[in-house]
Amino acid sequence: MKKLLVWGTGDLAEQFIDSGCQGDIIGFVETVKSKDVFMKKPVYGSREIPEEYDYIVIANSYGTEIYSLCIKLDIDISKLIFLYRIQSRVGCTDAAVLKEVLSEKSYDDYCIRFRLKPKPKQHPREQGDEFVYEDAEKYRKLNTRPTFEIQENNAHRIFYASTIVECFSDMILEEFSVSADGVLESHVEDIHKYDDDESDYRFGLFYFVKK
């Protein structure tokens, strides 16, 4: 069983642990150490990483910054497993190693995030929805925030953005991300600007919180 360090002590790290893994987690890493223990395991600062590990799993939304820091600190990049997309697919990309270390769910999620899985075959009645897949692909290419990545269970076909807000009127729209004219927009005051289905404002993710 491979010895693993997990870079991150936030929600993404917890999600990774909850999904299960097939390695022995010997500790966690924080870029700037803020605690000594997390999930009953020791926490190390980025400059005090122990040597007795096989791989470091980057369960953190700041993958690009961590990648640059690891180069600066002369950390072996081939031993880094990035769970979320950065500018390019770097680190350990050996499918055999990934399958050995990650749980089946984590590996499936990894393949979806890095677009290593073919698009599922469409049911005949869904063939008219091809533009949804095209818009989703545009969004994936523009998005750089792991927390706003498209997952199979958070993307649905909705014609009007304002409909989403109205359906969740008992909640507060905290943040959203919409692909528009080659960029991603967020925190736009008038959500109705996305109501025109003929425009290029058609795909987005919305994050609500309780009032």
Side-chain angles (χ1 to χ4, degrees), residues 20-99:
C21 75
Q22 303 181 112
D24 176 21
I25 298 176
I26 61 174
F28 294 83
V29 178
E30 289 185 319
T31 304
V32 178
K33 185 177 177 180
S34 65
K35 56 180 73 68
D36 294 323
V37 178
F38 181 72
M39 290 188 166
K40 299 181 180 180
K41 300 288 185 179
V43 177
Y44 304 96
S46 57
R47 298 179 182 275
E48 55 182 22
I49 297 175
E51 296 181 357
E52 64 273 13
Y53 69 88
D54 294 303
Y55 294 96
I56 301 178
V57 178
I58 313 299
N60 193 296
S61 60
Y62 295 96
T64 300
E65 291 81 357
I66 291 172
Y67 173 72
S68 298
L69 178 60
C70 287
I71 292 178
K72 182 178 179 180
L73 297 178
D74 199 28
I75 295 174
D76 189 349
I77 302 300
S78 68
K79 291 188 175 182
L80 303 181
I81 298 176
F82 289 87
L83 294 183
Y84 297 89
R85 291 180 60 82
I86 58 176
Q87 292 181 348
S88 60
R89 189 170 174 235
V90 296
C92 175
T93 58
D94 187 323
V97 172
L98 295 174
K99 288 179 180 179

Side-chain angles (χ1 to χ4, degrees), residues 104-122:
E104 182 177 353
K105 182 182 185 306
S106 293
Y107 181 71
D108 285 344
D109 290 343
Y110 175 93
C111 291
I112 291 171
R113 293 187 188 109
F114 286 90
R115 295 197 290 275
L116 302 179
K117 279 192 170 184
K119 185 188 299 182
K121 292 184 178 180
Q122 291 176 268

Side-chain angles (χ1 to χ4, degrees), residues 148-160:
F148 271 76
E149 283 189 346
I150 298 170
Q151 306 294 337
E152 291 184 347
N153 64 346
N154 73 353
H156 305 277
R157 179 179 179 179
I158 299 177
F159 284 102
Y160 300 112

